[in-house]
Amino acid sequence: MSVKTDIQTALKARLATITTANGYPLTVHNVFNDALPLAMDLQEFEVPAILILNGKDTPKHEHQWIEGRWLMHLQLIHKKAASDEEMEIFANSVFRSIYADSPTVRKNGEFRRLGKATQWHIVLVDPDVNMIDVNRMTEIVFEVQYHCHPTEI
C-alpha cells in the first residue's frame, strides 16, 4: 500500500467516526475519496458528507528516505439550508476528529499522526463556498507531512 493510500484510508476511517453516538454534535453520513460525486448532486439525506481530494505532493529525498508535503483538500458538504453556525460546528468536528481523537493522543508528540502522516497543518479554511441553490460547502486544505521509504511512494 502506498503512503498516500495509507493516509487516505486512515483519514476516511477517522472521519467516519464523526457521529452523535461518538459524542459529536452531528453525524457525517458519507466520506468519499475514490468515486467523488458533485456536491450539488448529493441529496439532503446524504449530507453532511466529506469529499477528500488530492492536491500537490512535493516529496524530497533525505538520506534514503522521503520527506513529503502533500496538500489534501476536504470539502465539507451540508444541506443548502445549513446555517453558518451549523457549518462551523461541522468544521470543528472535523478538526476534533483529526487533532484530538487520535488513539495515540496520550503519547507525547503522537497527537497528529494518522496513518503514515506525521503532521497535519491547516493551510486554508474557506468557510463559505456556497453556490446558488445547491448544498453548502466549506473547504479545508491541510498540508500533510509524511516520512517513508522510497518504495512506499
Side-chain angles (χ1 to χ4, degrees):
M1 178 183 301
S2 76
V3 67
K4 291 187 345 185
T5 301
D6 175 75
I7 293 167
Q8 282 187 324
T9 301
L11 176 63
K12 184 176 181 177
R14 178 80 58 83
L15 294 173
T17 66
I18 300 174
T19 64
T20 54
N22 288 332
Y24 288 90
L26 75 157
T27 294
V28 170
H29 295 290
N30 292 293
V31 180
F32 300 98
N33 73 326
D34 39 18
L36 299 173
L38 293 174
M40 65 184 82
D41 291 340
L42 292 172
Q43 301 299 313
E44 195 160 321
F45 66 87
E46 297 176 292
V47 295
I50 302 173
L51 281 61
I52 303 171
L53 306 168
N54 290 324
K56 182 179 179 183
D57 186 15
T58 54
K60 186 170 66 171
H61 289 273
E62 293 284 336
H63 307 290
Q64 298 182 0
W65 289 94
I66 298 215
E67 299 288 336
R69 294 175 181 269
W70 174 31
L71 293 181
M72 184 178 289
H73 301 253
L74 300 183
Q75 293 182 345
L76 314 184
I77 313 296
H78 212 320
K79 62 188 180 221
K80 67 180 173 182
S83 67
D84 290 344
E85 183 179 0
E86 287 175 297
M87 294 304 292
E88 187 174 322
I89 288 168
F90 190 4
N92 287 338
S93 295
V94 168
F95 293 139
R96 178 179 153 202
S97 75
I98 291 172
Y99 290 113
D101 283 354
S102 167
T104 57
V105 73
R106 289 174 186 81
K107 293 182 183 177
N108 187 27
E110 294 288 321
F111 72 101
R112 290 188 183 174
R113 287 195 182 274
L114 188 58
K116 293 183 180 178
T118 57
Q119 292 288 319
W120 290 77
H121 300 285
I122 300 167
V123 175
L124 171 74
V125 177
D126 193 350
D128 200 16
V129 182
N130 189 9
M131 299 171 279
I132 299 171
D133 292 329
V134 295
N135 296 320
R136 294 278 312 262
M137 182 173 71
T138 293
E139 184 169 23
I140 302 171
V141 180
F142 289 97
E143 179 189 71
V144 180
Q145 294 179 8
Y146 61 88
H147 177 85
C148 69
H149 192 269
T151 60
E152 295 177 295
I153 284 287

